[in-house]
Amino acid sequence: MAVLETIPVLLSSSSSSSFLDTSTVIALTVFFALLCACIIIGHLLEENRWANESITALLLGLCCGVVVLLITKFHSSRILVFSEDLFFLYLLPPIIFNAGFQVKKKQFFKNFTTILLFGVVGTVISFCLISLGAYLLFKRIGVTSLDIKDYLAVGAILSATDSVCTLQVLNQDETPLLYSIVFGEGVVNDATSIVLFNAVQSLDVSNIDLLTALKLLGTFLYLLFTSTALGIAAGLISAYIIKTLYFGRHSTDREVALMMLMAYLSYMLAELLNLSGILTIFFCGIVMSHYTWHNVTESSRVTTKHAFATISFIAETFIFLYVGMDALDIDKWKSSKASPGTSIAVSSTLFALVLVGRAAFVFPIANITNCIKKRPSTKIELRKQFIIWWAGLMRGAVTIALSYNEFANSNTTLTEDSALMITSTIIVVLFSTVVFGSITKPLIEAVLLRNAKPVHSDATDIPSLDDLQILFLENCDPSDQGGSNEPTRRKGSLSLLISNPTSTVHYFWRKFDDKFMRPVFGGRGFVPFVPSSPTGAADPQTS
């Protein structure tokens, strides 16, 4: 718990017989008390249009930071120091894993192309515009000590979105298309931003040419596919082990523990191999929900579903508390000797670049996908494009963590411009989360007209006539059709494959899955060999 070392001046007269470090105990007590307060206040504000648990946790963290500063008489306090290790190793993995574990897979993969366009291409466009804008504008403000690599890092840092506030308002069942795009883009965006940031760190800015750009592209694609493959492999290995060894015969605790440890192991292996741990653990969660979850006993199914969601919820709340308290760390504010006007100018410039950078890809990409899609229910209307744009304006802990990584050096004191960049980043995070986050719920209700009953459903899972036709065509017994009907069947399947490829690909995947994958790795329909085990459980997610 070294990352939570705290106020050394408090309770310095602790008993010498105690084997616990008093500062660590104080830190844990403070954070656990604040977590309890966040849960209670979040429950009381459940129906409030202007508040949610993320904003509540952030404001509580700020209030606690003020109290700490008053107690320490505005001296440095280590409870306020943001720890990258704590964030990336302990808090982020359970959030990303639960996101993959709980996602509705059919809806997610139906929109996978759109998600990749927003999360990868869009993030790259935003990265380029923010970097270029910072390079052109910062020198006019008075920030002169940054080099090319710093400007590129600023682009990667501020391209990392935090759509938690928006996802707390959107409903996965009411607006599945919009939810899957916002949710999927958020996960892919975080991974892309971190990959871009790491690529910038290893970039030789003195020799940038076309070959360097191609190397960066190749590195990104390599990280994308290898990270995804590692996550899928970890999920399949866990499914095979649990299916083969029947852990539930002796202890359901071992099943739950193995799932948790295999998921965390996949993340750590990815980081060890310099891959994207976010993509790895996300796809590990998807595979585990599709195979492993069905191979465990009924009690383990209930336990894992709620345990993963609970751990993720606590981690999210802890992050917002942590960010709120860190915002008032006095050291970095003292190191930044910029005037209030300069600080506001830099923060405003950064946020304006975020607005422009996001608008530059959301609306064009959405309209390009609308031209490709034929079904009205799968098109992204202008009001939904606005919600997607709005959802990506908020910045969070990933942004702060990357900012510390770039501009803070534990071995040396902060320079004035480095401290200015960190404090300006914190201002952007606080402003975007509190102001934009508080407006999110009423804005979405107004834009999406929640209280009105739409004529056309947003759900793409509702089968069209083509879906029903292909279902009957493919499931029909050839022996019952006769030779004269065979050309008609082939023609219908081919035309539907061209006109409606997503449903057809999903159907063939299900046939492949049932024939080859599930006999080996288990999954839906597999019955664990345990006395009094159920004959099967319904999948809580749409496969």
Side-chain angles (χ1 to χ4, degrees):
M1 288 296 178
V3 292
L4 292 178
E5 289 181 329
T6 182
I7 319 171
V9 298
L10 290 178
L11 299 181
S12 57
S13 59
S14 61
S15 173
S16 59
S17 61
S18 175
F19 59 90
L20 295 175
D21 182 30
T22 304
S23 60
T24 302
V25 175
I26 294 174
L28 291 175
T29 303
V30 169
F31 277 104
F32 288 163
L34 289 175
L35 284 172
C36 293
C38 286
I39 294 173
I40 295 172
I41 296 174
H43 170 71
L44 296 176
L45 296 177
E46 181 69 27
E47 303 299 327
N48 190 282
R49 299 178 71 238
W50 302 97
N52 55 49
E53 288 169 338
S54 301
I55 298 175
T56 302
L58 192 63
L59 294 177
L60 273 178
L62 287 171
C63 293
C64 186
V66 172
V67 173
V68 170
L69 287 177
L70 293 175
I71 292 176
T72 59
K73 298 180 180 179
F74 292 90
H75 288 86
S76 177
S77 173
R78 297 189 67 182
I79 195 175
L80 304 178
V81 177
F82 188 91
S83 170
E84 296 174 52
D85 289 341
L86 175 66
F87 174 71
F88 282 112
L89 295 181
Y90 305 110
L91 298 179
L92 190 59
I95 297 174
I96 303 299
F97 173 77
N98 183 67
F101 192 78
Q102 301 287 352
V103 68
K104 289 191 173 182
K105 297 180 288 296
K106 182 177 180 180
Q107 188 65 232
F108 177 80
F109 285 106
K110 268 191 173 183
N111 300 300
F112 193 62
T113 303
T114 305
I115 289 170
L116 283 182
L117 286 174
F118 279 119
V120 178
V121 179
T123 303
V124 172
I125 294 174
S126 177
F127 160 75
C128 295
L129 289 178
I130 293 175
S131 300
L132 180 62
Y135 176 76
L136 295 176
L137 298 176
F138 274 14
K139 290 183 180 179
R140 298 184 179 183
I141 298 174
V143 181
T144 58
S145 64
L146 302 183
D147 56 23
I148 296 296
K149 185 177 291 187
D150 290 329
Y151 289 117
L152 293 175
V154 168
I157 290 168
L158 290 176
S159 296
T161 64
D162 187 347
S163 53
V164 172
C165 290
T166 306
L167 291 177
Q168 288 179 348
V169 180
L170 290 175
N171 188 290
Q172 192 168 195
D173 296 317
E174 293 179 5
T175 55
L177 173 64
L178 188 57
Y179 184 95
S180 66
I181 292 176
V182 172
F183 161 79
E185 187 220 344
V187 175
V188 177
N189 168 274
D190 284 345
T192 304
S193 299
I194 294 174
V195 170
L196 282 173
F197 182 82
N198 292 333
V200 168
Q201 300 305 303
S202 60
L203 185 65
D204 182 10
V205 294
S206 62
N207 185 24
I208 299 179
D209 51 19
L210 180 60
L211 183 60
T212 303
L214 292 177
K215 286 182 179 179
L216 284 176
L217 177 62
T219 300
F220 174 77
L221 294 176
Y222 165 77
L223 292 175
L224 176 68
F225 289 111
T226 52
S227 301
T228 301
L230 180 59
I232 293 173
L236 291 177
I237 290 172
S238 69
Y240 182 79
I241 292 175
I242 290 179
K243 172 181 177 291
T244 305
L245 299 181
Y246 300 123
F247 282 84
R249 287 180 299 177
H250 303 128
S251 172
T252 57
D253 296 338
R254 292 190 179 97
E255 293 179 318
V256 178
L258 186 63
M259 289 182 68
M260 290 183 175
L261 293 174
M262 287 290 292
Y264 192 75
L265 179 62
S266 69
Y267 181 87
M268 296 308 298
L269 282 175
E271 294 299 322
L272 185 64
L273 299 173
N274 294 320
L275 304 177
S276 173
I278 291 179
L279 282 178
T280 296
I281 200 169
F282 176 71
F283 280 97
C284 180
I286 290 180
V287 173
M288 279 192 175
S289 70
H290 190 67
Y291 295 108
T292 314
W293 188 82
H294 295 277
N295 298 345
V296 300
T297 58
E298 185 177 16
S299 59
S300 294
R301 291 172 183 171
V302 176
T303 301
T304 52
K305 183 179 179 181
H306 292 288
F308 294 151
T310 302
I311 296 173
S312 173
F313 167 75
I314 293 175
E316 284 183 5
T317 309
F318 192 97
I319 285 175
F320 281 101
L321 279 172
Y322 206 37
V323 169
M325 296 186 72
D326 174 75
L328 294 178
D329 180 17
I330 199 67
D331 281 346
K332 53 180 167 286
W333 294 96
K334 288 181 178 179
S335 300
S336 176
K337 298 179 181 179
S339 64
T342 302
S343 181
I344 293 174
V346 172
S347 303
S348 301
T349 301
L350 290 176
F351 194 71
L353 291 174
V354 169
L355 295 174
V356 174
R358 183 152 184 87
F361 74 84
V362 168
F363 298 103
I365 289 178
N367 285 285
I368 290 173
T369 58
N370 286 343
C371 294
I372 298 174
K373 295 178 180 178
K374 295 184 178 181
R375 279 202 226 168
S377 61
T378 60
K379 294 181 181 293
I380 307 174
E381 305 170 2
L382 181 60
R383 57 180 182 173
K384 294 177 182 177
Q385 295 176 24
F386 177 81
I387 296 299
I388 295 172
W389 172 76
W390 182 274
L393 295 179
M394 284 166 276
R395 297 296 180 264
V398 174
T399 299
I400 292 182
L402 295 180
S403 180
Y404 271 106
N405 190 295
E406 174 65 19
F407 296 108
N409 191 330
S410 59
N411 298 325
T412 60
T413 58
L414 287 175
T415 64
E416 292 185 19
D417 284 349
S418 295
L420 176 62
M421 294 308 302
I422 293 177
T423 54
S424 298
T425 302
I426 292 175
I427 291 174
V428 170
V429 170
L430 293 178
F431 179 82
S432 63
T433 302
V434 175
V435 177
F436 279 61
S438 61
I439 303 174
T440 295
K441 184 182 291 188
L443 179 69
I444 289 180
E445 289 177 352
V447 173
L448 296 182
L449 302 175
R450 275 285 178 87
N451 297 327
K453 293 184 178 179
V455 177
H456 299 290
S457 173
D458 183 33
T460 58
D461 283 337
I462 299 177
S464 63
L465 293 177
D466 287 345
D467 291 330
L468 295 177
Q469 181 184 359
I470 193 170
L471 194 61
F472 284 119
L473 287 173
E474 295 293 350
N475 286 323
C476 187
D477 188 357
S479 62
D480 296 336
Q481 295 179 13
S484 59
N485 292 334
E486 184 66 20
T488 303
R489 186 185 72 84
R490 289 181 178 175
K491 181 179 179 181
S493 299
L494 180 60
S495 62
L496 287 176
L497 177 62
I498 298 173
S499 62
N500 197 8
T502 54
S503 298
T504 309
V505 170
H506 177 262
Y507 174 77
F508 284 120
W509 155 250
R510 290 298 298 270
K511 289 186 68 175
F512 174 80
D513 191 28
D514 292 338
K515 186 174 182 180
F516 298 103
M517 300 296 288
R518 285 179 175 163
V520 178
F521 300 105
R524 188 174 58 184
F526 176 77
V527 182
F529 186 71
V530 181
S532 72
S533 175
T535 56
D539 190 354
Q541 302 96 14
T542 304
S543 297

